[in-house]
Amino acid sequence: MKSEMMWNQLAKNWDKPGVSLGENDLKIIERAKKYLNPGSVVLDYGCATGSIALEIASLAKEVHGIDISSNMVEIAKRKADERHIINIGFARAAIFDESLGKESFDVILSLSILHLVEDPAQVMDRINRLLKPGGIFISVTPCLGEKTFLSVLMNIPIFLLSRVGVIPSITFFSAFSLTAAITNSGFQMIEQKDLSVRPLRECFIVARKSRRLYVRQP
């Protein structure tokens, strides 16, 4: 509930210049295009105001955006209506919502959210189950756990704010621990690229759900 309130408060400024569809967002869209086709059913998990979902809608059969912020979702719906995009839908929902059916999606986007969830491994397991066999998982995640002087220095206030509850709990992934977590959830790595390195490393990863039966290792 506290996280939802925070994101609701941020929603009104989310699409200001320099916040929405920045340089990295344009890179994400360009890189994601090759994994989409006219038959793709896509889920944008943590869609915010739908900026990226709206940009890729013309490349897919259906795009479904979900977010825990009702204010973000309302803005996304309004933008879709204004642009007359009919193959897209937005809903206030979490990734564990029962309305999301097992093996329903060809592609799932998880952009700048894995480090903010309470249990990233559980979320990635859920994403695996929602994908069709051979489905594509596209993620972008700040790697706040990189052991560089600048990264450690910048992370001190983030860590303190997280501990006192001002911002959500944060997982300090390194690029290595992030890829390990994804592969341990039954995915095969396809592509990894640093969208930015300074001041903080942000990792773009594409992984494919294994077509074999997956059982998480203890």
Side-chain angles (χ1 to χ4, degrees):
M1 182 63 70
K2 186 181 292 186
S3 291
E4 180 184 356
M5 291 175 61
M6 183 192 74
W7 295 118
N8 279 339
Q9 291 171 355
L10 291 173
K12 62 182 179 181
N13 295 317
W14 201 255
D15 286 335
K16 285 187 174 180
V19 177
S20 183
L21 283 185
E23 182 180 350
N24 277 2
D25 293 322
L26 297 176
K27 291 178 183 178
I28 292 165
I29 293 166
E30 192 60 34
R31 288 185 171 276
K33 283 181 179 179
K34 62 183 176 181
Y35 299 102
L36 302 172
N37 62 64
S40 297
V41 178
V42 181
L43 175 67
D44 185 0
Y45 162 47
C47 63
T49 59
S51 297
I52 289 180
L54 291 163
E55 292 299 319
I56 64 172
S58 63
L59 306 172
K61 179 182 178 181
E62 300 173 11
V63 177
H64 304 267
I66 62 170
D67 200 284
I68 63 169
S69 167
S70 56
N71 289 3
M72 294 277 195
V73 167
E74 288 306 311
I75 293 171
K77 288 179 178 179
R78 184 170 67 244
K79 288 161 65 174
D81 289 342
E82 290 171 351
R83 294 172 61 173
H84 306 291
I85 300 176
I86 61 174
N87 68 327
I88 196 166
F90 296 100
R92 181 189 173 280
I95 194 68
F96 297 100
D97 196 293
E98 293 181 358
S99 65
L100 303 175
K102 180 181 178 182
E103 298 186 353
S104 296
F105 302 100
D106 300 288
V107 178
I108 295 181
L109 307 177
S110 171
L111 308 178
S112 296
I113 190 170
L114 288 178
H115 64 304
L116 298 176
V117 300
E118 289 186 13
D119 190 335
Q122 190 177 30
V123 168
M124 284 185 266
D125 286 352
R126 172 64 169 166
I127 289 171
N128 186 291
R129 294 185 179 94
L130 293 176
L131 280 168
K132 298 174 183 178
I136 297 295
F137 175 37
I138 300 175
S139 66
V140 176
T141 308
C143 290
L144 303 172
E146 293 292 318
K147 302 301 183 182
T148 65
F149 175 77
L150 183 59
S151 179
V152 171
L153 188 64
M154 292 184 66
N155 287 341
I156 292 173
I158 296 174
F159 175 77
L160 293 175
L161 290 172
S162 173
R163 288 295 298 270
V164 299
V166 175
I167 60 176
S169 176
I170 292 178
T171 298
F172 287 76
F173 284 113
S174 66
F176 177 81
S177 66
L178 177 62
T179 55
I182 290 173
T183 56
N184 197 41
S185 289
F187 292 98
Q188 299 169 339
M189 297 290 294
I190 296 176
E191 178 183 350
Q192 179 175 348
K193 178 72 175 179
D194 286 344
L195 294 182
S196 57
V197 178
R198 296 179 180 177
L200 293 173
R201 189 174 185 180
E202 192 168 21
C203 294
F204 174 90
I205 290 177
V206 181
R208 187 186 305 278
K209 176 179 177 175
S210 174
R211 295 180 184 273
R212 296 174 296 175
L213 179 64
Y214 160 67
V215 178
R216 170 173 280 277
Q217 298 299 313

